[in-house]
Amino acid sequence: MKIVSRIKLPIEKEMELFEKKFSASMTSKVSLLNKITHYVVNRKGKQMRPMFVFLIAKMTGNGDVNERTYRGASVIELIHTATLVHDDVVDDSDRRRGFFSINALWKNKIAVLVGDYLLSKGLLLSIDNDDFDLLKIISVAVREMSEGELLQIEKARRLDITEEIYFEIIRQKTATLIAACCAMGARSVMAPDEEVEKMRKFGELIGTAFQIKDDLFDYGNEHIGKPTGIDIKEQKMTLPLIYALNNSTSEEKKWLINSVKNHNKDKRRVNEVITFVKDNGGLNYAVEKMKEYQQQALQLLETYPASPYKESLELMVNYVIDRKK
């Protein structure tokens, strides 16, 4: 059985019902909107985020979920989908998960409006049901995601990212939404504040490990077989590169910054940067850091009694860093 199917096993029924509720939460009186949202729903990814909501809710709520859990999962997925639609416009990307993106099929103006629609649907789903505690969790996440993106853009211009700033960027950009999923799951079943915070921290740790793993893919892996160098081409300062910069001579540092800033479209130069980062311990350092976050996340689960939900969450933590793509 595939790892994702194994993770999903204890919440299979909930996920099936969630998909129906999620589709229903997108409906509109405008046929163009329905056509586009239908396209979105039929091209969904692994749905890791709703899975986190249900697994955490069941683990902290003695195996039970309720309508608030379904709404929480729907809100997360609506907001997440809205950010992906907007991201594709910002990045001028014409593909998403191997299919054409909304902006490629319906142009930027419609894509931005669809993103806005999904965002408002998510907010109203909480407001209409008086789920103000759930709304606060997701609103904080949206604010932080925007701040993280803008901080990265600001820093990319000068390439002066320290390790501390790097971790702040990925905490906001990537980890904050997974943290919101986990906090949402616990809050939906009325877990006490300290437990909600503990689960939020758990999600933040996994999200950070997830992003470091993504950084490592830029330097090649067993699945791709060769480095992509896309982050370097886009002048993104990732952990392996930051480590190599911090542990190089002033001459090497000059050469590295010049390569990333002015020669990032030169294939040969990008490959030289990749080799330099590998030879100077950048990858080993990033792997070490990723495993630290993984272990911290697993430690937070230790206080919970054995259950299929806890087991799935442990599988999820390990899958995040063992995945091949």
Side-chain angles (χ1 to χ4, degrees), residues 24 180 194 304:
E194 59 272 21
Y304 290 92

Coordinates of all heavy atoms in Angstrom, one line a residue, residues 24 180 194 304:
A24 N -19.3 21.3 -2.3 CA -20.6 22.0 -2.0 C -20.2 23.5 -1.6 O -20.9 24.4 -1.9 CB -21.4 21.3 -1.0
A180 N -1.4 26.0 11.0 CA -2.9 26.3 11.1 C -3.7 25.1 11.0 O -4.7 25.0 11.7 CB -3.2 27.4 10.0
E194 N -3.6 25.1 25.6 CA -2.2 24.7 25.6 C -2.0 23.5 24.6 O -1.0 23.4 24.0 CB -1.7 24.3 27.0 CG -2.4 23.2 27.7 CD -3.6 23.8 28.6 OE1 -4.1 24.9 28.3 OE2 -4.0 23.1 29.5
Y304 N 1.1 11.3 23.6 CA -0.3 10.8 23.3 C -0.2 9.3 23.3 O 0.7 8.7 22.9 CB -0.7 11.3 21.9 CG -1.1 12.8 22.0 CD1 -0.1 13.7 21.7 CD2 -2.3 13.2 22.3 CE1 -0.4 15.1 21.7 CE2 -2.6 14.6 22.4 CZ -1.6 15.5 22.1 OH -1.9 16.8 22.1

